[in-house]
Amino acid sequence: MRYRVFVPGGAGPHPVVYLLHGHGGDEGNWFDHSGVVAEAQRHGLAVVTPDGGNSWYVNSATERWEDYIAHDLAREVEGRFPVARAREGRAIAGLSMGGYGAVKIALRYPGRFVFAASTSGAFDTTRATSVFNPRGTSSNVLEVFGPPGSVVRRENDVYRMAAEVSDPSVLPYLRIDCGTDDPWFGINEEMAAALYARGIAHDFIASPGHHNWPYWNRSIVDIMAEAARRLR
């Protein structure tokens, strides 16, 4: 699997942020379209950006993307680079599809990360129709999640996952943000409400912006600053 890595100067191990791209993206997107490297350097953070294809970071019938991101990627990176190997030094974040993936993985594996963030998360994609898939006919969504009502859809429904958390105190701290002009803004409000209803510690930040790189480039500044405050 392809990924890119930035490691700041100085002695390690460095706290590390695993940063997931959106649908149609690849491992180079965050490096090529945002100021994440400057922010990582400023805060002394390592950054890892894997290629997730259009997988929605899901374990499907044929591919195990969630397992790869949550376990295999960190194991490989930790064996090759001077990055943190404990929960207290790991964060996961992403945009759109990657924001959905980051929150889903954080809810599923609370022992892996101490902080998780989503910007413009596409949280509703497991539904029969969604912002990404308004007619319910997307071949990508059907291939990854199966038909409406499938086991894969249910197991990867982040609203259900949040509602069924048994002990909110063990979860990583969550940060959700979305631009108020983003088509997914209402979906992100709904996600924040689900977290609030279950007593899950989080921040929800709404500010002017669309579903695009100018907004995400502003968001990553705050995500990296928050990661620096929470990682050890």
Side-chain angles (χ1 to χ4, degrees):
M1 301 293 186
R2 302 190 308 269
Y3 56 86
R4 291 179 66 174
V5 178
F6 169 79
V7 178
H14 303 281
V16 58
V17 179
Y18 292 87
L19 198 51
L20 309 182
H21 66 74
H23 191 275
D26 60 32
E27 74 279 6
N29 280 178
W30 279 108
F31 282 82
D32 296 341
H33 299 296
S34 80
V36 68
V37 170
E39 296 307 312
Q41 183 70 65
R42 183 197 315 275
H43 296 293
L45 300 172
V47 175
V48 180
T49 59
D51 178 22
N54 291 329
S55 67
W56 295 90
Y57 306 101
V58 162
N59 286 342
S60 67
T62 58
E63 297 182 298
R64 312 295 293 179
W65 284 98
E66 181 180 281
D67 290 348
Y68 167 65
I69 299 297
H71 301 289
D72 302 338
L73 175 64
R75 188 179 305 116
E76 180 172 341
V77 169
E78 289 165 11
R80 295 182 60 194
F81 300 94
V83 302
R85 299 187 177 195
R87 177 184 190 261
E88 291 73 22
R90 292 194 206 105
I92 188 168
L95 68 85
S96 193
M97 177 184 83
Y100 159 78
V103 169
K104 176 172 67 76
I105 289 170
L107 291 172
R108 183 105 65 208
Y109 304 105
R112 298 292 292 163
F113 304 96
V114 75
F115 173 61
S118 166
T119 182
S120 307
F123 297 118
D124 61 331
T125 308
T126 56
R127 295 173 176 171
T129 59
S130 63
V131 176
F132 179 82
N133 183 30
R135 297 183 179 180
T137 57
S138 165
S139 59
N140 168 244
V141 171
L142 290 169
E143 179 181 357
V144 171
F145 293 102
S150 70
V151 171
V152 174
R153 289 195 190 231
R154 183 180 187 281
E155 289 181 346
N156 292 280
D157 178 344
V158 287
Y159 301 100
R160 180 195 64 80
M161 292 173 68
E164 295 181 0
V165 165
S166 58
D167 182 1
S169 70
V170 305
L171 291 176
Y173 196 86
L174 301 179
R175 182 189 192 276
I176 310 291
D177 74 71
C178 193
T180 53
D181 298 311
D182 190 313
W184 275 271
F185 180 68
I187 295 302
N188 279 259
E189 285 188 308
E190 187 179 351
M191 188 72 238
L195 298 174
Y196 179 81
R198 187 61 193 92
I200 296 171
H202 72 284
D203 285 324
F204 175 56
I205 298 96
S207 62
H210 298 266
H211 202 81
N212 57 21
W213 279 108
Y215 175 79
W216 299 324
N217 203 18
R218 295 195 304 273
S219 177
I220 196 61
V221 173
D222 296 329
I223 289 172
M224 297 299 280
E226 186 67 22
R229 286 190 287 270
R230 294 188 177 273
L231 298 183
R232 299 291 180 268

